[in-house]
Amino acid sequence: MTTEPLALPTSPDAWPAWIRDRAASELALATGLVEGLRTDPPADPVAVLRQWDRAGGHLGNVAAVGSLFGNVHPSEEVRELADNAEQEASRVGTRWSLDRELYDVFAAIEDSAVADDPLAARLLAKVRADFRRSGVDKDEATRDRISAIRERITELDQEFSRVIRDDVRTIQVAPDQLDGMPADWLEAHPADEEGLVTVTTDYPDSVPVRMFAHDQDVRRDITIAFQERGWPTTEALLDELFSLRHELATTVGYADWPSYDADVKMIRTGPAIPEFIDKIAAAAEEPMQRDLGQLLERYRRDFPDATVVPGYDYNYYAELVRAEKYDVDSQRVRTYFDFGKVRQGLLDVTGRLFGLRYEQVDVPVWHEEVTAYDVSTSTAGEPIGRIYLDLHPRDGKYKHAAQFTLVDGVEGEQAPEGVLVCNFARGLMEHDHVVTLFHEFGHLLHHVLAGHGDWFRFAGVATEWDFVEAPSQMLEEWAWHADVLQTFATSADGEPIPADLVTAMRDADDYGKGIFARTQMFYAAMSYWFHADRARAEVPDLTARMVELQEKYAALPYLPGTHMFASFGHLGGYSSGYYTYMWSLVIAKDMFSAFDETDVFATGAATRYRDRILVPGGTGDAADLVADFLGRPFSFDTYAAWLAR
Ligand SMILES: [Zn+2]
């Protein structure tokens, strides 16, 4: 490392001051650089771009520290300070994006002046696009309207999430209606004075009930309650949100919101989204029919006259198909996944694959369960970054699994540092969680390996947003191979997990992938059309549109009277881009086809993948990086073949 890693505070008391100082000093550097650009820009256009990029890097340092510690620090005071820092960074970023004088600095640069520096030219094009998309070149009244719209969109987005989160519904059932539920679940759900058990729509309650409760009425009632969360409150919020996004997109020159959103993604145009959805839906047609056939066959043993399986019975019967056909005992599977061995195994496996070494270092962390490692290349032994693993749940900590940036890497400026934040059990792990760990580690590797370029704008996972999941989805593949798992998944007495058990786990997991793909395309179609429909003279009713799209794409029928879209949270963050997860998966499957499935540790493909996909970060268009790695443009065929398998 040409630069030292960030030194975190050595004592708990030092944290509040450290967060304040880090945020204030980085913010001062950022605003100083931008002020210089406005008042006295360098004569050399590349120097102008560099100054802007460094300002963005320093502002990014504030946002990163804010976002990370606002989500993981054990002290509420520190979390609040961090949240404030993140919000301040976001406010400053918005102010810059609407600063006309700044925009003029970049508008004045001649393209020819940066023509012999391809990355500077790429950056200039991106900076101009950012400004154009922000509406900075509009008149003042329009800019004011844009600011007002953006602010209202943020409010609506937050309100939508809040309503869904707070709208916990319940059903009450007699204890004997809960036959089939696991013992620990029943123990946690005693009957009240009236002799009834309350089941809420929260995941730990409702997911197992839909999967295991023998009583069909219970499964139906909890499914309806679950799908009705947010209804009818969120309909008006969504209506306003979609209309405002449309107004914003058309104001800055796009046909509609999906076109605005897609312009900076791999997919490029709005209309390409429904084309992609239809292509996946067609590829999934036969696999879906195959899955539904197996499902209906099992269903008819209980309901001989049934012609379809209702949505509220899907999870229960899919689970029965899996259990009866593949015979995977998840209790037995767990005994092979001891957390400590899994964590070390993950490091060993990825180290071997990508030529890396992880050396655990004794440095200050924010919680005693967090471990830190210096990453280096095994050939040169040269340190290339630092990672932190914060993998267990605790109060006040982020509830999901994600990779957070601590520092973005730029050669000679600062070394990349990333943090995995997950919530795994401390003892034995579910295999699902092992897969999640590999997935998130894929993001972390991307962050560290792509942290050695010249530009902050292209550092780490700064690739198109519909590609960003591909490296992580691809790394999941290693968590499904016996050769890999057997290196660390051993029972208490040291027996490696049997290969036939891994095969059965994989087959069981594969069951339902046709149904799953079609369900995902139903969601993707809602996410697209709810936004695209705003361009129509008469905007269709959301419920009617949802029912129409469900009938067209989904494998399972609409449950009359329900309004599932009202709690479809991804309409907030993903907006019209819910297709992105499937898009990334198509590319992940295609990239994995370059590896030899019978020799997943072969380093040839892994090295090429590291150097051509991960290391470049955002310096090239993802489609070009993938073509460079595969030796051909990416294709749909590997995914379609996997789906049909
Ligand atoms: Zn991910």
Side-chain angles (χ1 to χ4, degrees), residues 29-43:
L29 286 170
T31 48
L33 288 169
V34 164
E35 212 32 54
L37 270 187
R38 295 164 97 256
T39 52
D40 185 21

Side-chain angles (χ1 to χ4, degrees), residues 401-403 439-440 443 468-470 472-473 476 581:
Q403 193 264 139
H439 175 106
E440 299 303 339
H443 291 304
V468 86
E469 292 300 324
S472 50
Q473 285 168 327
E476 289 180 24
Y581 192 83

Side-chain angles (χ1 to χ4, degrees), residues 566-618:
S567 60
F568 184 38
H570 293 308
L571 291 171
Y574 276 90
S575 73
S576 53
Y578 190 73
Y579 78 90
T580 53
Y581 192 83
M582 187 64 82
W583 178 271
S584 283
L585 183 62
V586 166
I587 299 174
K589 292 284 179 199
D590 200 21
M591 291 194 304
F592 187 61
S593 72
F595 290 81
D596 178 357
E597 275 214 61
T598 63
D599 183 11
V600 286
F601 281 115
T603 51
T607 306
R608 214 168 65 240
Y609 171 76
R610 180 193 69 196
D611 295 342
R612 299 187 183 194
I613 301 285
L614 300 179
V615 168

